[in-house]
């Protein structure tokens, strides 16, 4: 880990002990002394996140980062992102995880971005409203597809019946 400002500050306050910084990501105590190859997948991900965050990027772009993470790693990552001072663009469907640090909801659809931010609603309320809108829209699209499929079947049947009922008159 290359100690950036945050990592240096944490290590300095702990008498130069980098393990204090790792502890913020759930890699404290005996885990900090283990070989990376002996860590679980979730523990390795925490080390990766600690390394990325130590470099103090100004922008984090994360796509479905919550997939395949254990609960402890999700909690550690949520706490770290809540303390993060830069910008975060994250794609996730995990409302519980996002609620730990998100303030805005960006809905990207049809080539447009709808930024939802409210001083009165919590992120959970915004996400729940979005989810309900998305489910309603999905139901509407499903009904429209079913209606088009029914019309297509009727048209096919009519064409088939028309072929069978026509013939040459002698």
């Amino acid at each position: 880990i290359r100690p950036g400002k945050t990592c240096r500050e944490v290590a300095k306050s702990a008498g130069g002990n980098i393990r204090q910084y790792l502890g913020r990501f759930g890699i404290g105590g005996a885990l900090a002394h283990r070989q990376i190859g002996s860590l679980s997948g979730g523990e390795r991900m925490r080390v990766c996140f600690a390394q990325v965050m130590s470099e103090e990027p100004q922008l984090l772009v994360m796509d479905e980062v919550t997939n395949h993470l254990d609960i402890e790693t999700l909690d550690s990552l949520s706490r770290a992102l809540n303390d993060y001072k830069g910008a975060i663009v994250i794609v996730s469907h995990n409302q519980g995880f996002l609620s730990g640090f998100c303030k805005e909801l960006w809905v990207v659809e049809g080539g447009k971005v709808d930024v939802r931010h409210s001083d009165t609603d919590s992120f959970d309320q915004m996400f729940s409203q979005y989810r309900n809108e998305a489910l309603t829209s999905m139901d509407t699209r499903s009904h429209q597809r079913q209606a088009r499929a029914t019309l297509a079947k009727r048209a096919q049947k009519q064409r088939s019946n028309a072929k069978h009922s026509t013939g040459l008159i002698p």
Side-chain angles (χ1 to χ4, degrees), residues 17-19 22 27-36 38-39:
N17 188 343
I18 196 77
R19 289 180 296 162
L22 291 172
I27 306 292
L31 283 177
H33 292 287
R34 289 181 47 194
Q35 295 280 330
I36 289 178
S38 69
L39 298 175

Side-chain angles (χ1 to χ4, degrees), residues 136-153:
T136 300
S137 176
M138 190 170 55
D139 284 344
T140 300
R141 287 191 307 265
S142 176
H143 290 319
Q144 289 171 344
R145 278 194 299 274
Q146 288 174 349
R148 283 193 302 267
T150 301
L151 286 175
K153 285 179 184 177

Side-chain angles (χ1 to χ4, degrees), residues 41-42 45 49 65-74 77 97:
M45 288 304 299
F49 290 130
V65 70
T66 60
N67 293 352
H68 312 295
L69 294 183
D70 58 28
I71 298 296
E72 293 82 13
T73 303
L74 285 173
L77 180 59
F97 171 73

